[in-house]
Amino acid sequence: MENWLTKRAQLSPDRLAVQYQETKLTFAQMKEKVQRIATQLAQLAQNEERIAVITSNQLQGYLMILAVQQLGKTVVLINRRLSAREINFQLQDAGVQVVVQDDDFALTLSVDQQVSFTEVLAIPVTTLIEPVAEFDLDAVTSIMYTSGTTGNPKGVMQTFGNHFYSAVGSALNLGIMADDVWLAVVPIFHISGLSIMMRSLIYGMGVRLFEKFDVHAINHALLNGEVTTISVVPMMLTQLLAELPANTRYHKNFRTMLLGGGPTDLTTLQRAKAAGIEVVQSYGMTETASQVIALDAANAQRKLGSAGKPLFPVSIRVAHQDDQQHGRIQIKSPTLAVGYLNQPEKYANTFEDGWFDTGDMGWLDDEGFLFIDGREGDMISSGGENVFPDEIESIYAKLDEIKQIAVVGVPDKKWGAVPVAFVTFKDGQTLSRQALRDFGRDMLAHYKVPAHFYKATDFPRTASGKVQRHKLRDLLANASEIE
Amino acid sequence: MENWLTKRAQLSPDRLAVQYQETKLTFAQMKEKVQRIATQLAQLAQNEERIAVITSNQLQGYLMILAVQQLGKTVVLINRRLSAREINFQLQDAGVQVVVQDDDFALTLSVDQQVSFTEVLAIPVTTLIEPVAEFDLDAVTSIMYTSGTTGNPKGVMQTFGNHFYSAVGSALNLGIMADDVWLAVVPIFHISGLSIMMRSLIYGMGVRLFEKFDVHAINHALLNGEVTTISVVPMMLTQLLAELPANTRYHKNFRTMLLGGGPTDLTTLQRAKAAGIEVVQSYGMTETASQVIALDAANAQRKLGSAGKPLFPVSIRVAHQDDQQHGRIQIKSPTLAVGYLNQPEKYANTFEDGWFDTGDMGWLDDEGFLFIDGREGDMISSGGENVFPDEIESIYAKLDEIKQIAVVGVPDKKWGAVPVAFVTFKDGQTLSRQALRDFGRDMLAHYKVPAHFYKATDFPRTASGKVQRHKLRDLLANASEIE
């Protein structure tokens, strides 16, 4: 297929491509800027197969990602919130030697070149490079890492074809109109945000880019009809509604609130309905290049708690069912990533008879709506990020003073959920709350650092001695924090 | 990909799938009817790879086409207007032995079984067959024949992938909304109509099926907001506008008038604009699975006469340019048919360096809009059908009395253009107008039979003696008809 950016600049040169703060770029303008940046990046990373971009949701990073694509190189998208240790693992795994980053990104990484966006933009340009003529649907264009319950993070390799079919599947579910504008406050280094960028190129759709989740500014955009669609996680939906004045309805242009990262409750849905919002619940992951299952607004209340039905190009099945017809949720989709970088076997092992096993359990009702029992293991969904207790525990286990640590998610008003830790120390040893927190902040993304550290003497255990994480919450009422 | 009909019945069971006269079917209802018909067809044509359907735009034929798909067999779509001789050629070429047909189709064909729809529907059903689970994007699902300037008609083999990418390309240009309804009065045995059926399955969109071009009834549907999109050829657009009362505007739900089969004029466009219509000019052919190039309404007047720009998945180039940058229009597209049945070399020969040569000449302006100089050779576009003078001349050449015949298209108020013939007879011989017409009606589709037969003594010729068809029109002023 022709280079999507070139094509878009040709087909709809004057349409809005992206708006960030007061800056608006049409597709023709964006193409020009991106081509210049691609020329600069080419000088920086001539022989590199991959370039890592570390950015928040701001315009320069947005254009950098597109520029890497224009060079025919793969962009490795790094979660800005990770620790240096975590990022270095990913860079090394992906063989990345060139990182371009937000000017205010302060960590020093183990790579040959760590270049700020301002430095990239200062590289002299004489002749503009020719962007790649075609986007090969089978070629890997983006890599982003996901954690799991066990082992190292996995570099998910997404092809142009993955992104294309994802955009098509979404369009066939939500519709597309020439004047659509999608608000991106979910991170562009996650698939939720990157998929909005790819849809923009494919649909010729504007993106309204927000760096921070500024409830007031975002509600303003939705009320004024500047935006037709927004992707949110549950905590965003709740906060947007909480801030909305009573008896206020969103603008009629605002068509869809696409909700990912977990289900919502009936009260929130009813509040949303009163405000004139169509909430489309959805389910997806990095490996499926964003949403593959979605519940439409028409069925939101009737099928409360359901993730919906598989999008048009997607098939699902529930395998290994028990008596109640609950089983493992498995997927076939042209949006499925082509593999985990350097871990082909690990990816192959997630498949069963050609079906990708999501690791989640669920069941289908008689109309084919999917209900998800719970996320993989004890995963905590915190403000749109997936947090795995295992990972946190294994990091803290490196501290000599700690005998055992157990982490569990607890509800949080702002983030939906946060991790908290129960700690036992070795005989005669101890660590302060501050020391525990500092260690975590060195080793882990901040959102993974337990919000509270509680003293424990022992943990609820199974007969075989395994800690029962879900029973830890029962201890909370009487727990006291480490000082 | 999952079987589109099964999938649609699953995703949007209660949405309108098709309306014909007063009958409306949802996707769930249509699936049920189609599955029953598929079971009946299976008994009729168990070992057949292909089944031919001969139908006008009516519901039974619509369902028959879908039923053939459900069996995993290829549907051969026959132009109902062709003569028995023309149809027999196609059936034989496609190795078809089973034809299902409109009850009022009267020709006797050279096949094992010629079964009317009523007869099909009377076949007893005990157990419903299981429809195919998947639609393989690489599998041929439809064959329709096209004529050209030379040689026999070619059976164009269209895959599911061709139809899928065509629907996606159209959606990315025109947008899609959940309540879209597309009016199909262009024949479902042509790609213009069949592509509407395929979009319906892929989008979950309603089709309003019209058997005849009933100007009044169609205007009624457009005025009442029952329809959002319609495909038309120029003569339809002109007649719809002519019948529209002054100062009347179409309903705001009516979004797009997709115009194929030739350009229109500024007066018509302005008249359409006044009636609130978005006319989207488009260009495509059987080999490209419908429109591949389209002009949007925003540019319709500014770029009058242009066919527009290639759709998102499509690339074009103009090859072998002359001084004025005119050249041959060539196309790359995932919608390109996989071949001509039994004539692989003929299809291969239409490609140059991987580009499909349309046979049409044109040029691109500095913004990338395509202008088409003229259709292949002397093709006549008559009421949505392509008519080739060569074919008509070669049929009449079989008459002993005729010395030479030359056919040319002339403008026609109703059909846009019609063929007329200039005839010279061998010494001392002659034929009446009636005899000429009867012969044509036996041998050719009615729309190919010259509307007038003029006496000639000789023809305008090139230095080498070849008849110059375009100069024949100069003779019209003084021509007299054969009696």
Side-chain angles (χ1 to χ4, degrees):
Chain A
M1 217 176 274
E2 263 181 74
N3 179 324
W4 296 344
L5 179 58
T6 313
K7 184 75 176 179
R8 256 310 145 202
Q10 230 275 313
L11 284 183
S12 44
D14 302 325
R15 260 195 224 165
L16 175 71
V18 63
Q19 176 178 357
Y20 174 68
Q21 295 172 355
E22 299 310 309
T23 308
K24 291 182 183 184
L25 297 179
T26 64
F27 280 99
Q29 292 165 336
M30 187 167 84
K31 182 198 159 200
E32 201 173 308
K33 281 196 187 291
V34 168
Q35 199 180 349
R36 189 181 164 84
I37 296 172
T39 305
Q40 292 164 322
L41 286 180
Q43 295 175 60
L44 204 63
Q46 199 155 11
N47 301 314
E48 302 298 319
E49 183 187 346
R50 305 186 183 117
I51 299 176
V53 178
I54 302 183
T55 187
S56 60
N57 275 23
Q58 50 103 327
L59 188 58
Q60 286 178 348
Y62 193 99
L63 301 177
M64 291 284 157
I65 293 169
L66 295 176
V68 177
Q69 251 184 3
Q70 291 300 304
L71 292 172
K73 298 180 191 291
T74 301
V75 61
V76 179
L77 291 150
I78 303 290
N79 183 338
R80 242 209 87 145
R81 299 162 187 159
L82 299 183
S83 68
R85 182 191 65 82
E86 293 169 317
I87 296 176
N88 278 329
F89 171 83
Q90 299 183 6
L91 296 176
Q92 196 184 345
D93 187 59
V96 167
Q97 287 305 337
V98 177
V99 173
V100 293
Q101 62 189 35
D102 270 338
D103 288 0
D104 64 353
F105 182 76
L107 300 178
T108 303
L109 304 170
S110 310
V111 286
D112 290 348
Q113 297 190 75
Q114 214 180 332
V115 188
S116 75
F117 293 156
T118 296
E119 288 168 331
V120 172
L121 297 173
I123 295 172
V125 170
T126 47
T127 317
L128 288 175
I129 58 119
E130 199 63 37
V132 291
E134 299 199 348
F135 280 5
D136 175 1
L137 291 191
D138 294 327
V140 174
T141 179
S142 52
I143 294 176
M144 44 181 71
Y145 282 79
T146 62
S147 296
T149 45
T150 56
N152 288 319
K154 297 151 282 185
V156 179
M157 297 189 287
Q158 298 153 340
T159 63
F160 284 110
N162 293 152
H163 293 302
F164 185 77
Y165 274 96
S166 173
V168 167
S170 180
L172 293 178
N173 186 44
L174 303 179
I176 32 174
M177 299 294 286
D179 51 5
D180 278 346
V181 175
W182 199 307
L183 194 151
V185 64
V186 291
I188 54 179
F189 54 73
H190 280 334
I191 188 60
S192 51
L194 182 68
S195 64
I196 299 173
M197 294 178 63
M198 296 300 102
R199 282 180 210 122
S200 163
L201 296 182
I202 294 165
Y203 303 167
M205 175 186 75
V207 173
R208 185 78 184 272
L209 188 65
F210 272 81
E211 186 166 11
K212 306 252 181 258
F213 182 63
D214 178 337
V215 182
H216 187 71
I218 290 173
N219 259 339
H220 185 81
L222 303 183
L223 287 164
N224 284 14
E226 297 162 29
V227 162
T228 55
T229 312
I230 183 175
S231 298
V232 293
V233 294
M235 72 137 194
M236 294 180 183
L237 174 56
T238 312
Q239 291 183 35
L240 287 171
L241 291 172
E243 202 254 4
L244 198 68
N247 301 318
T248 309
R249 288 176 69 85
Y250 285 111
H251 197 280
K252 66 172 172 41
N253 286 358
F254 176 42
R255 232 171 52 224
T256 307
M257 173 92 70
L258 185 67
L259 178 69
T264 189
D265 56 279
L266 185 59
T267 312
T268 305
L269 275 182
Q270 285 173 337
R271 177 86 185 78
K273 196 182 165 81
I277 308 180
E278 305 243 9
V279 175
V280 175
Q281 305 231 33
S282 69
Y283 169 85
M285 57 195 74
T286 310
E287 286 90 336
T288 62
S290 96
Q291 34 148 355
V292 278
I293 296 167
L295 181 66
D296 53 341
N299 289 299
Q301 301 216 18
R302 194 170 72 88
K303 296 290 176 182
L304 185 72
S306 169
K309 290 180 178 175
L311 301 185
F312 191 79
V314 179
S315 303
I316 57 171
R317 71 173 190 183
V318 173
H320 310 294
Q321 294 176 351
D322 62 18
D323 290 347
Q324 280 79 45
Q325 303 297 306
H326 293 237
R328 303 182 67 81
I329 301 166
Q330 301 185 331
I331 290 176
K332 268 190 192 171
S333 172
T335 66
L336 275 171
V338 288
Y340 294 139
L341 186 63
N342 305 325
Q343 301 185 70
E345 283 163 31
K346 188 148 195 173
Y347 194 63
N349 287 341
T350 62
F351 283 82
E352 182 175 307
D353 313 329
W355 293 79
F356 174 78
D357 191 305
T358 61
D360 291 331
M361 301 285 293
W363 57 283
L364 293 166
D365 76 4
D366 54 2
E367 291 177 74
F369 287 89
L370 179 71
F371 289 78
I372 296 170
D373 292 330
R375 302 303 298 260
E376 182 174 20
D378 301 299
M379 194 188 83
I380 304 159
S381 184
S382 181
E385 296 283 357
N386 294 341
V387 179
F388 296 88
D390 275 315
E391 185 188 9
I392 301 169
E393 289 167 6
S394 67
I395 288 294
Y396 276 95
K398 294 177 184 178
L399 288 172
D400 283 340
E401 294 83 354
I402 287 181
K403 187 176 165 193
Q404 191 166 7
I405 181 168
V407 173
V408 68
V410 298
D412 181 85
K413 207 174 162 187
K414 180 162 185 198
W415 302 109
V418 291
V420 300
F422 289 83
V423 185
T424 57
F425 293 103
K426 288 179 185 159
D427 283 350
Q429 305 207 35
T430 187
L431 283 168
S432 70
R433 182 199 328 189
Q434 193 59 48
L436 288 164
R437 186 170 294 159
D438 289 349
F439 175 76
R441 294 202 160 214
D442 267 1
M443 303 293 280
L444 293 164
H446 290 194
Y447 59 82
K448 297 179 187 172
V449 179
H452 300 282
F453 294 89
Y454 297 110
K455 293 175 199 162
T457 46
D458 195 10
F459 307 99
R461 293 178 190 275
T462 62
S464 60
K466 196 166 176 269
V467 175
Q468 294 175 289
R469 283 210 191 90
H470 63 279
K471 292 201 174 169
L472 287 171
R473 291 193 198 95
D474 301 340
L475 306 180
L476 280 170
N478 298 311
S480 63
E481 285 203 60
I482 294 170
E483 284 172 16
Chain B
M1 217 175 274
E2 263 180 74
N3 179 324
W4 297 344
L5 179 59
T6 313
K7 183 76 175 176
R8 256 310 144 203
Q10 230 276 312
L11 285 183
S12 44
D14 303 326
R15 261 194 224 165
L16 175 72
V18 62
Q19 177 180 356
Y20 174 69
Q21 295 172 356
E22 299 311 309
T23 308
K24 291 182 184 185
L25 297 178
T26 65
F27 280 99
Q29 292 166 336
M30 187 167 84
K31 181 197 159 201
E32 201 175 308
K33 281 199 186 290
V34 168
Q35 199 179 350
R36 188 181 164 85
I37 296 171
T39 305
Q40 292 163 322
L41 286 180
Q43 294 175 60
L44 204 63
Q46 199 155 10
N47 301 313
E48 301 298 319
E49 182 187 347
R50 305 185 182 116
I51 298 176
V53 177
I54 303 183
T55 187
S56 59
N57 276 21
Q58 50 103 327
L59 188 58
Q60 287 178 347
Y62 194 98
L63 301 177
M64 291 284 159
I65 293 169
L66 295 177
V68 177
Q69 252 184 0
Q70 291 300 305
L71 293 173
K73 299 182 190 289
T74 302
V75 60
V76 179
L77 292 150
I78 302 289
N79 183 338
R80 241 209 88 143
R81 299 163 188 158
L82 299 183
S83 68
R85 182 192 63 84
E86 293 168 315
I87 296 176
N88 278 330
F89 170 84
Q90 298 182 6
L91 296 175
Q92 195 183 346
D93 187 59
V96 168
Q97 287 304 338
V98 177
V99 173
V100 294
Q101 62 189 36
D102 270 337
D103 288 359
D104 64 352
F105 181 77
L107 301 177
T108 303
L109 304 170
S110 310
V111 286
D112 288 349
Q113 298 190 74
Q114 214 180 334
V115 188
S116 75
F117 294 153
T118 295
E119 288 167 329
V120 173
L121 296 173
I123 296 173
V125 170
T126 48
T127 318
L128 288 175
I129 59 118
E130 198 62 36
V132 291
E134 299 201 346
F135 281 5
D136 175 1
L137 292 190
D138 295 328
V140 173
T141 179
S142 51
I143 295 176
M144 42 181 70
Y145 282 78
T146 63
S147 296
T149 44
T150 56
N152 288 322
K154 296 151 287 187
V156 179
M157 297 189 286
Q158 297 154 340
T159 64
F160 284 109
N162 294 152
H163 292 302
F164 184 77
Y165 274 97
S166 174
V168 167
S170 180
L172 293 178
N173 186 45
L174 304 178
I176 31 174
M177 298 295 285
D179 51 3
D180 278 346
V181 175
W182 199 308
L183 194 153
V185 63
V186 290
I188 55 179
F189 54 72
H190 280 333
I191 188 60
S192 51
L194 183 66
S195 64
I196 298 173
M197 295 178 62
M198 296 298 104
R199 281 179 211 121
S200 163
L201 296 182
I202 294 165
Y203 303 166
M205 176 186 75
V207 173
R208 186 75 186 273
L209 188 65
F210 272 82
E211 186 165 11
K212 305 249 182 259
F213 182 64
D214 178 336
V215 183
H216 188 70
I218 291 173
N219 259 339
H220 185 79
L222 303 183
L223 287 164
N224 285 13
E226 298 163 28
V227 162
T228 55
T229 312
I230 183 176
S231 298
V232 293
V233 294
M235 72 134 193
M236 294 180 184
L237 174 57
T238 313
Q239 290 183 36
L240 286 171
L241 290 172
E243 201 253 5
L244 199 67
N247 302 319
T248 308
R249 288 175 70 84
Y250 284 112
H251 197 281
K252 66 174 170 42
N253 286 359
F254 176 43
R255 234 170 55 226
T256 307
M257 173 92 70
L258 186 67
L259 178 70
T264 187
D265 58 281
L266 185 59
T267 312
T268 304
L269 275 183
Q270 284 173 338
R271 177 86 184 79
K273 196 183 166 80
I277 309 181
E278 304 241 11
V279 174
V280 175
Q281 305 231 30
S282 68
Y283 169 84
M285 56 195 72
T286 309
E287 285 90 335
T288 62
S290 97
Q291 36 149 352
V292 279
I293 296 167
L295 180 67
D296 52 341
N299 289 298
Q301 300 215 20
R302 192 170 72 88
K303 296 290 176 181
L304 185 72
S306 169
K309 290 180 178 176
L311 299 187
F312 191 79
V314 179
S315 303
I316 56 169
R317 71 174 191 184
V318 172
H320 310 294
Q321 295 176 351
D322 62 17
D323 291 347
Q324 280 79 46
Q325 304 297 308
H326 291 238
R328 301 182 71 80
I329 300 167
Q330 300 186 333
I331 289 176
K332 268 190 190 170
S333 172
T335 65
L336 276 169
V338 288
Y340 293 139
L341 185 64
N342 305 325
Q343 302 186 68
E345 284 163 30
K346 187 148 196 174
Y347 195 62
N349 288 341
T350 62
F351 283 81
E352 182 175 304
D353 312 329
W355 292 79
F356 174 78
D357 193 305
T358 61
D360 290 333
M361 301 284 294
W363 57 283
L364 292 167
D365 75 5
D366 53 4
E367 292 177 74
F369 287 89
L370 179 71
F371 289 79
I372 296 169
D373 292 331
R375 301 305 298 263
E376 182 174 22
D378 300 299
M379 193 188 84
I380 304 161
S381 183
S382 180
E385 297 283 358
N386 295 340
V387 179
F388 296 88
D390 275 314
E391 185 189 6
I392 302 169
E393 289 167 7
S394 67
I395 288 295
Y396 276 96
K398 295 177 184 180
L399 289 172
D400 283 340
E401 295 84 353
I402 287 183
K403 185 176 170 196
Q404 190 164 8
I405 180 168
V407 173
V408 68
V410 298
D412 180 83
K413 207 173 162 188
K414 181 163 184 198
W415 303 109
V418 291
V420 300
F422 289 83
V423 186
T424 58
F425 292 102
K426 289 181 184 156
D427 283 351
Q429 306 207 33
T430 188
L431 284 168
S432 70
R433 182 196 335 186
Q434 193 59 47
L436 287 166
R437 185 170 294 161
D438 289 348
F439 175 76
R441 293 202 160 215
D442 267 0
M443 302 293 281
L444 293 165
H446 289 194
Y447 58 82
K448 298 179 187 173
V449 178
H452 300 281
F453 294 90
Y454 297 108
K455 293 176 199 161
T457 48
D458 196 10
F459 307 100
R461 293 177 191 275
T462 62
S464 61
K466 194 165 176 277
V467 174
Q468 294 174 291
R469 283 209 191 91
H470 61 279
K471 291 200 174 168
L472 286 171
R473 293 195 196 93
D474 301 340
L475 305 180
L476 281 170
N478 298 313
S480 62
E481 285 204 61
I482 294 170
E483 285 169 18

